[in-house]
Amino acid sequence: MLSLEHYRRDFPILHQKVNGFPLVYLDNAATSQKPQVVIDALVNYYQKINSNVHRGAHYLADQATIAFDETRKKVQKFINAQYPEEIIFTKGTTESINLVAFSFGEAFVSPQQEILITEMEHHANIVPWQMLCERKKAILKVVPVLEDGTLDIESFYRFLSPNTSLVAITHVSNVLGTINPIQEIIQVAHAAGAKVLVDGAQSVPHFQVNVQELDADFFVFSGHKIFGPTGVGILYGKKELLELMPPYQGGGAMIKEVTFERTTYNRLPHKFEAGTPNIADVIGLGVALDYVQNIGIENIALQEHALTEYATQQLQQIPSLKIIGNTPNKVSVISFVISGIHHYDLGMLLDANGIAIRTGHHCAQPLMRRFGVEGTARASFAFYNTKEEIHKLCEGVEKAIAVLT
Ligand code: 7TS
């Protein structure tokens, strides 16, 4: 087991009082907190090497470019991509998915072809595909979710056809915590001739991902959920696919030569990185990945698993509380509803005690409809959370039930 005290000290934000109580931060699925080394990297960048990248005109430009390009290699290693140019920097998961929906959609999706998604997707992995289907007169198909929060894999097999162009699926649900059998899904989709985009926003922070082993065509995630800064995300794509896809945005850095008659495009990854990138935050993400690697993602997984089991067991003792998402194969996300209590009221009462959880639809309105709820309360843990914090959550919930019912 990790020495929690040691690692908690790395996160300055955790050591403060909120509403007079020590902060209990249980909203890590929305965004994780940042260790001091990441904060220092941002300050250091602006104090010492701030400059534009890939223009190579002077010392600072070189330093910034080296640090920026270094992160691409760190990400490549972190998810075991074959080539660094398969790593495209974006604003986040949302932009990565929009990029693929636009660019892959433009090149490869024709009328009447199908895009397969699931009922447990975040809006970021629904709406861009709806927009694509509208543009291309393609068809969106949705694989249902079973009562325990697992994917209806039989329906997935049934829905897949030679007409399926792309399967866009979350690796892990941000509401249910369910880990989808992504390797099987990718194999079967490939056998049917479809490509697969995996939304890794909620998987990469919690366990080892190996894109080559998975054989994913696209894999996307956000830096801010894995202890990195906001405003930077990753699109991994297989080189041979990215090569065939048109640029998403035009501008500086993505061109080889521009004339008023015709423009030729830069090689990967620059073709997909128009304009000045988010240099400081990209460098910060590199430091965050180093931080995770120093602790060991497998140690993080063990710690989070123990916290999740414990919290599940404790919350289940509360009679009016129902957990939504009951598969044992899940990450550290627990969504729940309490009969007779609105999730917003619960969230407000917990906040008054310094406890931060998320309430609402979690950007997954179709999934809320599937479970017949308007929203849920959701506690999500990082490795720096403690059993004591779980006790505080349970006490807070019990107090709220006493006050509100
Ligand atoms: N996909 C999944 C599975 C997510 O959980 C999220 C964010 C996104 C995509 C979008 O990521 P972004 O960084 O581009 O915004 N999920 C959440 C959440 O559960 N609470 O706040 C944001």
Side-chain angles (χ1 to χ4, degrees):
M1 202 51 80
L2 297 168
S3 155
L4 278 174
E5 290 72 25
H6 173 75
Y7 288 110
R8 267 185 88 83
R9 278 204 297 271
D10 294 341
F11 293 82
I13 206 170
L14 297 176
H15 308 284
Q16 63 176 308
K17 288 194 168 172
V18 168
N19 295 324
F21 293 88
L23 170 65
V24 175
Y25 185 76
L26 303 178
D27 195 16
N28 294 284
T31 197
S32 62
Q33 298 303 348
K34 320 304 171 200
Q36 188 65 49
V37 282
V38 170
I39 300 167
D40 288 346
L42 300 181
V43 173
N44 182 64
Y45 169 78
Y46 285 117
Q47 278 183 347
K48 304 221 173 101
I49 61 168
N50 174 51
S51 185
N52 216 324
V53 289
H54 301 134
R55 281 143 176 98
H58 51 77
Y59 175 79
L60 292 185
D62 280 345
Q63 293 299 300
T65 303
I66 289 166
F68 181 83
D69 286 342
E70 200 57 42
T71 297
R72 204 184 301 280
K73 292 199 197 107
K74 288 179 185 177
V75 176
Q76 178 205 352
K77 266 201 173 150
F78 197 78
I79 60 170
N80 195 34
Q82 197 173 357
Y83 307 105
E85 62 267 32
E86 294 181 317
I87 305 299
I88 312 290
F89 291 120
T90 64
K91 273 196 313 202
T93 304
T94 303
E95 192 181 39
S96 299
I97 297 172
N98 276 279
L99 191 162
V100 176
F102 180 85
S103 174
F104 176 87
E106 206 52 32
F108 292 109
V109 179
S110 11
Q112 298 311 312
Q113 278 198 309
E114 291 165 3
I115 307 287
L116 208 53
I117 62 170
T118 83
E119 211 172 15
M120 67 170 89
E121 301 308 318
H122 186 280
H123 294 163
N125 204 27
I126 301 174
V127 185
W129 305 116
Q130 277 178 331
M131 291 161 68
L132 168 66
C133 287
E134 228 166 83
R135 275 199 310 277
K136 288 284 182 166
K137 310 265 176 292
I139 299 159
L140 191 69
K141 282 195 149 180
V142 185
V143 181
V145 166
L146 300 173
E147 197 54 33
D148 66 352
T150 57
L151 192 70
D152 181 356
I153 195 84
E154 284 173 20
S155 293
F156 170 73
Y157 275 81
R158 249 187 301 118
F159 285 13
L160 203 60
S161 82
N163 224 15
T164 312
S165 170
L166 182 95
V167 177
I169 181 169
T170 196
H171 201 171
V172 167
S173 160
N174 68 321
V175 173
L176 309 163
T178 308
I179 304 172
N180 282 319
I182 213 72
Q183 197 148 12
E184 175 186 351
I185 285 166
I186 292 172
Q187 265 177 20
V188 177
H190 283 169
K195 303 294 182 206
V196 182
L197 175 139
V198 181
D199 175 352
Q202 300 290 350
S203 64
V204 156
H206 300 297
F207 54 84
Q208 188 72 59
V209 167
N210 182 334
V211 290
Q212 287 190 79
E213 201 173 280
L214 289 177
D215 200 20
D217 299 293
F218 302 104
F219 188 95
V220 300
F221 66 97
S222 297
H224 70 93
K225 293 188 200 284
I226 182 162
F227 315 117
T230 53
V232 54
I234 299 299
L235 161 63
Y236 158 81
K238 280 184 185 163
K239 192 175 167 182
E240 65 266 26
L241 262 174
L242 293 176
E243 298 275 17
L244 295 173
M245 287 160 48
Y248 169 55
Q249 293 183 331
M254 53 75 73
I255 56 93
K256 194 148 84 192
E257 194 181 11
V258 179
T259 66
F260 284 119
E261 289 69 41
R262 187 168 168 268
T263 291
T264 49
Y265 304 130
N266 205 339
R267 60 182 198 281
L268 291 175
H270 310 293
K271 183 172 81 172
F272 290 110
E273 292 179 357
T276 299
N278 186 353
I279 306 163
D281 295 321
V282 163
I283 293 169
L285 173 61
V287 174
L289 296 184
D290 289 342
Y291 181 81
V292 169
Q293 249 156 356
N294 284 339
I295 298 174
I297 189 97
E298 59 294 337
N299 290 325
I300 287 176
L302 275 176
Q303 178 70 16
E304 290 177 348
H305 184 70
L307 286 170
T308 309
E309 281 213 321
Y310 186 70
T312 304
Q313 197 188 21
Q314 294 297 303
L315 287 168
Q316 275 170 340
Q317 312 285 319
I318 302 171
S320 54
L321 185 148
K322 184 178 153 219
I323 293 177
I324 296 184
N326 295 295
T327 166
N329 192 23
K330 65 188 278 189
V331 303
S332 50
V333 169
I334 303 179
S335 279
F336 57 93
V337 289
I338 297 171
S339 52
I341 298 187
H342 196 279
H343 45 272
Y344 286 131
D345 296 335
L346 175 67
M348 271 170 58
L349 278 180
L350 289 176
D351 184 51
N353 290 288
I355 303 167
I357 62 162
R358 183 164 173 195
T359 59
H361 56 63
H362 314 295
C363 298
Q365 285 178 352
L367 187 63
M368 296 296 116
R369 258 173 239 122
R370 155 68 183 83
F371 283 99
V373 295
E374 184 204 318
T376 75
R378 182 188 71 182
S380 52
F381 313 111
F383 72 93
Y384 47 59
N385 289 122
T386 65
K387 277 191 174 177
E388 195 195 337
E389 290 181 313
I390 291 168
H391 288 152
K392 285 184 183 166
L393 169 69
C394 294
E395 274 168 28
V397 169
E398 274 168 344
K399 226 158 96 184
I401 292 172
V403 172
L404 295 169
T405 55

